[in-house]
Amino acid sequence: MKIAILSREPNLYSTRRLVEAGRERGHEVDVIDTLHCYMDITSSRPTVRYHGEELPRYDAIIPRIGASITFYGTAVARQFEMMGTFNVNESVAISRSRDKLRSLQLLSRKGIGLPRTGFASKADNIKDLIKNVGGAPLVIKLLEGTQGIGVVLADTAKAAESIIEAFMDLKANILVQEFIKEAGGADIRCLVVGNRVVAAMKRQGAEGEFRSNLHRGGSAEIVKLSKEERETAINAAKAMGLNVCGVDLLRSHSGPMVMEVNSSPGLEGIETATNLDVAGKIIEFIEKNAKQNANRTRGKG
Ligand code: ADP
């Protein structure tokens, strides 16, 4: 098969591993820099051009689109879908997953376990917003944040009010969330491929840190999932329409709660912690599923 990886970073661990896993299995794999693709969308025959030439027909693309280029990256992925190329994660699903609030709404529609979450644009009902998610301590998150930046734990209702007011004053979009204390500063990253969890790791925050992000000094180890956790991760991926994703869960007294679904999950942390060939699983998924016009939306999104 002929596979293209849409990535700005050919040297990144995840990109390199996907290339390696594809070639090991006898496929032709190209890394295409997403921002250097350009498109002819006026013609009835959609194409993607790259460095002055039309790109060849690929059997499948693997979009690895960073949060900073979601708008252009999803447009490029959509163009491939219009051409009938199999896209592992459809552009609409990537767009959904990039909006934390929209994601939580979609997950809640499907009855998937979530921390109680509130969202408001005006500061006039802050007390009620706080009460609604169960009062302090609570977590306040910037909608645009990644890697744990902009995730704040407010110990008291007073502190929560001041933080919410300050963020709103800066016109930042935030959500207010029940604090899952019993998670103990840890979360579970489930790597879903198709309708299976192919690897899972537990990330533990550094001493005294409630955020488990590896970028914040957290550590990771392999973990065994319960049936309920496994099903929650798979259902979350389905609700988002993603074939390959990282589902982050918190272990709460009332069962697994989904925090986030990531459409371009990094492979380094999970492959290192679990010693599993996640890249290979992604290529195997493509082998089984890549057909012309096999995507659900085919660029309609
Ligand atoms: P980001 O997308 O920036 O990583 P997250 O929403 O994943 O932000 O939050 C970062 C970390 O903070 C999580 O991995 C988790 O360990 C912790 N965390 C986030 N929300 C909660 C919560 N409601 N209760 C307990 N811990 C939380």
Side-chain angles (χ1 to χ4, degrees):
M1 272 201 283
K2 226 172 145 47
I3 301 170
I5 301 169
L6 296 185
S7 167
R8 298 229 61 211
E9 309 276 356
N11 296 321
L12 214 65
Y13 177 94
S14 304
T15 317
R16 280 194 284 110
R17 283 285 299 124
L18 287 164
V19 171
E20 196 176 277
R23 291 187 183 151
E24 260 169 25
R25 285 164 178 76
H27 305 299
E28 216 179 293
V29 186
D30 293 337
V31 178
I32 306 286
D33 184 336
T34 323
L35 289 189
H36 284 275
C37 291
Y38 50 107
M39 299 157 272
D40 178 3
I41 34 185
T42 49
S43 90
S44 55
R45 193 178 70 92
T47 55
V48 177
R49 299 186 65 80
Y50 193 63
H51 297 314
E53 284 174 21
E54 190 177 315
L55 277 175
R57 281 239 156 229
Y58 289 101
D59 298 295
I61 58 164
I62 306 176
R64 302 280 315 174
I65 292 164
S68 60
I69 64 153
T70 302
F71 177 73
Y72 197 75
T74 50
V76 173
R78 200 179 305 122
Q79 185 81 357
F80 279 104
E81 291 163 17
M82 285 161 62
M83 292 157 60
T85 307
F86 180 73
N87 178 7
V88 168
N89 277 337
E90 292 185 45
S91 52
V92 274
I94 297 174
S95 304
R96 273 180 210 135
S97 75
R98 287 293 151 83
D99 180 338
K100 280 192 194 188
L101 196 60
R102 186 175 176 194
S103 303
L104 291 172
Q105 287 174 322
L106 286 168
L107 296 169
S108 115
R109 251 184 91 226
K110 295 284 176 190
I112 292 164
L114 301 169
R116 280 182 77 171
T117 305
F119 178 77
S121 133
K122 291 267 179 263
D124 45 6
N125 287 298
I126 290 187
K127 283 197 170 65
D128 190 52
L129 187 69
I130 293 174
K131 199 172 101 213
N132 239 323
V133 299
L138 55 80
V139 176
I140 299 159
K141 293 185 191 182
L142 275 176
L143 279 194
E144 293 79 21
T146 55
Q147 301 179 352
I149 299 165
V151 179
V152 184
L153 176 61
D155 284 317
T156 64
K158 266 270 149 283
E161 271 180 51
S162 317
I163 298 166
I164 295 169
E165 259 168 7
F167 276 148
M168 283 183 171
D169 205 48
L170 292 169
K171 308 258 178 294
N173 281 316
I174 51 157
L175 56 81
V176 177
Q177 199 166 66
E178 159 191 19
F179 175 52
I180 311 299
K181 188 163 188 286
E182 61 270 27
D187 75 351
I188 312 283
R189 159 59 63 99
C190 307
L191 221 302
V192 178
V193 178
N195 44 21
R196 283 184 54 214
V197 177
V198 299
M201 66 175 166
K202 179 175 174 175
R203 297 178 296 200
Q204 180 72 56
E207 184 71 36
E209 172 63 75
F210 81 101
R211 297 167 297 179
S212 60
N213 304 71
L214 301 183
H215 291 98
R216 314 226 65 74
S219 56
E221 62 179 51
I222 191 162
V223 70
K224 190 154 171 41
L225 297 183
S226 68
K227 186 164 173 273
E228 195 187 6
E229 286 166 344
R230 206 169 275 281
E231 283 171 1
T232 301
I234 293 165
N235 289 337
K238 250 192 218 135
M240 302 299 296
L242 291 165
N243 290 314
V244 173
C245 60
V247 180
D248 294 342
L249 302 176
L250 289 172
R251 282 183 162 163
S252 85
H253 289 325
S254 44
M257 288 183 170
V258 176
M259 249 184 330
E260 198 171 24
V261 183
N262 191 323
S263 57
S264 285
L267 301 183
E268 186 165 16
I270 193 110
E271 287 196 341
T272 310
T274 63
N275 234 337
L276 291 165
D277 177 11
V278 176
K281 300 280 185 232
I282 296 173
I283 301 296
E284 281 167 17
F285 174 81
I286 291 175
E287 288 167 354
K288 288 200 192 93
N289 295 280
K291 287 186 202 76
Q292 273 287 111
N293 296 316
N295 281 131
R296 249 175 293 173
T297 51
R298 271 172 278 150
K300 272 187 269 178

